[in-house]
Amino acid sequence: MEVEKPFDYIERIPGGAIITTTVDKVLEWGRECSLWYFSFGLACCAIEVLMAAGAARFDLDRFGMMFRATPRQSDLMIVAGTVTKKMAPRVKRLYDQMAEPKYVIATGSCANAGGPFADSYAVLKGVDLIIPVDVYVPGCPPRPEALIFAVQKLKEKMRNQVRMKRSNLPEDTRCDA
């Protein structure tokens, strides 16, 4: 009988309760499963998505995500709503205060491309003009399920980045068995 691996990080010894892995894989797993997010709510999307995502039905805590009110302790910035040109330097400053590695999810049509206010002189045509965005969530307003799906896609992207980084090492420095 073959034992199934619950994670890519763990190697089980048959018939035993010992788990062997590397420190890097444990740290990567911990980083992926404990995202601390900083929500930057600017308009109606913040009320619709972020408030519902913290409620009981769509709770982000079950994914290991914890809300932080400060960017210095956050891994993930969730930008929800219309980013005006007056607010853009503040968004950039908060992004710069986040520690590495940092990720961004843009939720709603306004954060993605300006939304219905794209023709206005005061509205930025997407938050990606000032900070790099990892995952876009469409909709006006997007559903909380869409935010949860975006978080899952971000975790998948994090896993792929780690694999690419590991595969780009020179052969003599890799420790793969």
Side-chain angles (χ1 to χ4, degrees), residues 3-79:
V3 178
E4 292 182 18
K5 292 184 181 181
F7 302 105
D8 293 338
Y9 311 117
I10 297 174
E11 179 181 332
R12 292 185 183 268
I13 297 176
I18 298 172
I19 298 174
T20 61
T21 188
T22 64
V23 174
D24 286 341
K25 289 181 181 179
V26 170
L27 292 176
E28 292 162 11
W29 174 77
R31 183 178 295 132
E32 176 189 329
C33 294
S34 65
L35 279 174
W36 289 9
Y37 65 98
F38 169 68
S39 60
F40 198 80
L42 297 163
C44 50
C45 288
I47 298 166
E48 294 287 335
V49 177
L50 297 176
M51 296 304 124
R57 185 171 178 201
F58 305 106
D59 193 14
L60 288 176
D61 291 343
R62 61 186 160 157
F63 295 102
M65 296 180 64
M66 183 184 301
F67 170 73
R68 301 304 300 167
T70 174
R72 291 181 178 91
Q73 299 173 349
S74 302
D75 307 309
L76 170 64
M77 177 188 267
I78 301 174
V79 180

Side-chain angles (χ1 to χ4, degrees), residues 42-157:
L42 297 163
C44 50
C45 288
I47 298 166
E48 294 287 335
V49 177
L50 297 176
M51 296 304 124
R57 185 171 178 201
F58 305 106
D59 193 14
L60 288 176
D61 291 343
R62 61 186 160 157
F63 295 102
M65 296 180 64
M66 183 184 301
F67 170 73
R68 301 304 300 167
T70 174
R72 291 181 178 91
Q73 299 173 349
S74 302
D75 307 309
L76 170 64
M77 177 188 267
I78 301 174
V79 180
T82 310
V83 181
T84 60
K85 292 180 181 174
K86 189 174 183 179
M87 189 58 82
R90 291 155 182 86
V91 174
K92 176 74 170 140
R93 178 183 295 165
L94 290 171
Y95 176 78
D96 291 339
Q97 290 177 357
M98 292 172 63
E100 291 289 338
K102 49 189 168 185
Y103 305 98
V104 177
I105 295 177
T107 62
S109 300
C110 294
N112 293 341
F117 312 108
D119 294 333
S120 173
Y121 67 92
V123 173
L124 203 65
K125 312 271 186 291
V127 74
D128 57 348
L129 296 176
I130 55 170
I131 58 175
V133 176
D134 296 297
V135 181
Y136 296 91
V137 180
C140 183
R143 297 276 307 149
E145 296 95 339
L147 179 62
I148 291 172
F149 183 73
V151 168
Q152 292 172 342
K153 286 295 173 186
L154 180 65
K155 288 183 177 189
E156 184 179 311
K157 183 177 182 177

Side-chain angles (χ1 to χ4, degrees), residues 163-176:
R163 287 186 184 128
M164 282 178 40
K165 184 172 65 172
R166 196 177 297 133
S167 66
N168 288 338
L169 290 174
E171 288 294 324
D172 56 345
T173 59
R174 270 199 280 185
C175 299
D176 298 3

